[in-house]
Amino acid sequence: MRFAFAGIDFLGDVFETLIGKGWKPLKLFSRPCDGIYDFNETTVSRARALRIPVQMSRIAPSDLSGLKGMGCDALIVAGYPWLVKGWEQHVPYGLNFHPSPLPEGRGPYPLFKAILDGLPEWGVTAHVLAPAFDTGPILTQKRFALSPRETHDTLLAKCQIAAKEIAAQVAEELPGLWREARPQGPGTYWPRITQPERTIDWTGSVEDVLRTIRAFGSIEAFGQVDSRYVYVWEASGWREEHPYRPGTLVHRHRRHMVVAASDGLVQITGWSPFAPGPARGS
């Protein structure tokens, strides 16, 4: 199968899995990444090593026409932010890998909310590209359990492993999966997470605080400790009656800070006063 891939390193293992299954890559469509929250150097380097074209701008109708001229059989999308329309006239198959158990969790990046909502189960879905994001018929899906102590980073790893499994199935069974694709029906759309949702609310319980920190993991939650703002990626805590106002710095030892929540104390063991980026090294 001759294919084009649109995506970044987030689900770049899909690209590698298809190649490993004998599919022939023709072109990579990617996008600029900040090198902090998202990356594409591995996928782009792989494409260049294969000597296939790399395009960083949005897929245009002329690009789809170009794929037809190259004899492309499938356009595979995974971690690509732009909606792709009109592909049906140019390639036989167009499909997207989405990190949610569709039809639940449509939207740009639902992993944070899956943990914030304390869901017991999650999944990854391959579906037909449709005129609206994440709404096309489902080709295949992999579901898995979530731990009560799930973090963003463990959930991301689970999604990436599931995506590889699904990609292997797609590589071997695409025509049959395509014939048997099932409509999604009604679902939920989760918009991009907001700054308030990423912010630690010390007036909540210890469990609420720790859930927020776990939900963002290495992407980092944001919080105020006394008058200081910090970015937090690791913490633990315990319930305990105390006289402190939520958000008060109760104790500090070296770089560990103990902060008051409504019903206990939270020990922050991974944090920085700087936002992720070059300032970290200063």
Side-chain angles (χ1 to χ4, degrees):
M1 190 80 71
R2 296 161 64 87
F3 77 107
F5 183 77
I8 60 174
D9 292 357
F10 163 52
L11 291 177
D13 286 332
V14 171
F15 183 51
E16 197 63 46
T17 299
L18 295 174
I19 294 171
K21 287 291 184 178
W23 282 32
K24 179 178 175 57
L26 300 176
K27 186 171 183 177
L28 171 66
F29 297 95
S30 192
R31 61 173 175 85
C33 293
D34 60 19
I36 301 170
Y37 299 121
D38 51 15
F39 308 85
N40 66 3
E41 62 262 27
T42 300
T43 306
V44 169
S45 294
R46 178 64 163 143
R48 287 175 175 158
L50 294 167
R51 299 184 182 279
I52 64 173
V54 176
Q55 178 174 318
M56 302 301 286
S57 58
R58 183 173 182 170
I59 296 173
S62 59
D63 299 315
L64 295 171
S65 179
L67 293 181
K68 182 176 182 178
M70 298 166 72
C72 184
D73 298 303
L75 173 60
I76 309 296
V77 178
Y80 191 69
W82 296 304
L83 188 63
V84 181
K85 295 183 179 181
W87 59 270
E88 299 91 341
Q89 307 168 41
H90 305 286
V91 295
Y93 303 105
L95 56 143
N96 179 55
F97 285 73
H98 184 69
S100 88
L102 292 174
E104 302 305 315
R106 295 168 181 156
Y109 196 81
L111 276 64
F112 301 131
K113 185 173 169 58
I115 298 175
L116 288 172
D117 288 356
L119 299 183
E121 184 185 64
W122 197 242
V124 175
T125 307
H127 68 90
V128 177
L129 287 172
F133 279 117
D134 311 323
T135 58
I138 292 174
L139 300 170
T140 185
Q141 186 176 88
K142 172 78 173 182
R143 288 176 176 257
F144 47 81
L146 297 186
S147 163
R149 292 293 178 264
E150 199 77 49
T151 72
H152 168 264
D153 301 281
T154 58
L155 177 51
L156 175 58
K158 289 179 179 181
C159 287
Q160 291 169 332
I161 292 168
K164 287 193 288 187
E165 294 177 5
I166 288 176
Q169 183 186 7
V170 165
E172 297 171 353
E173 306 173 18
L174 180 54
L177 293 172
W178 197 265
R179 288 191 300 269
E180 300 297 324
R182 62 187 189 277
Q184 289 191 35
T188 58
Y189 178 85
W190 296 356
R192 193 172 299 279
I193 215 79
T194 64
Q195 183 73 3
E197 290 173 300
R198 186 183 167 193
T199 300
I200 299 167
D201 180 6
W202 299 109
T203 66
S205 67
V206 168
E207 182 57 38
D208 291 339
V209 169
L210 294 180
R211 183 184 301 112
T212 298
I213 294 169
R214 291 197 314 272
F216 294 93
S218 60
I219 302 298
E220 302 173 7
F222 181 69
Q224 182 177 354
V225 178
D226 286 340
S227 60
R228 184 180 197 179
Y229 290 92
V230 295
Y231 294 84
V232 181
W233 63 85
E234 185 175 74
S236 57
W238 60 93
R239 295 182 64 186
E240 174 185 319
E241 290 188 7
H242 62 74
Y244 303 104
R245 175 180 54 82
T248 299
L249 178 62
V250 174
H251 174 71
R252 181 167 183 169
H253 175 66
R254 300 175 68 84
R255 282 190 56 80
H256 293 182
M257 298 191 296
V258 177
V259 183
S262 66
D263 65 349
L265 301 175
V266 174
Q267 183 178 42
I268 301 174
T269 52
W271 64 276
S272 172
F274 304 112
R280 283 288 174 85
S282 61

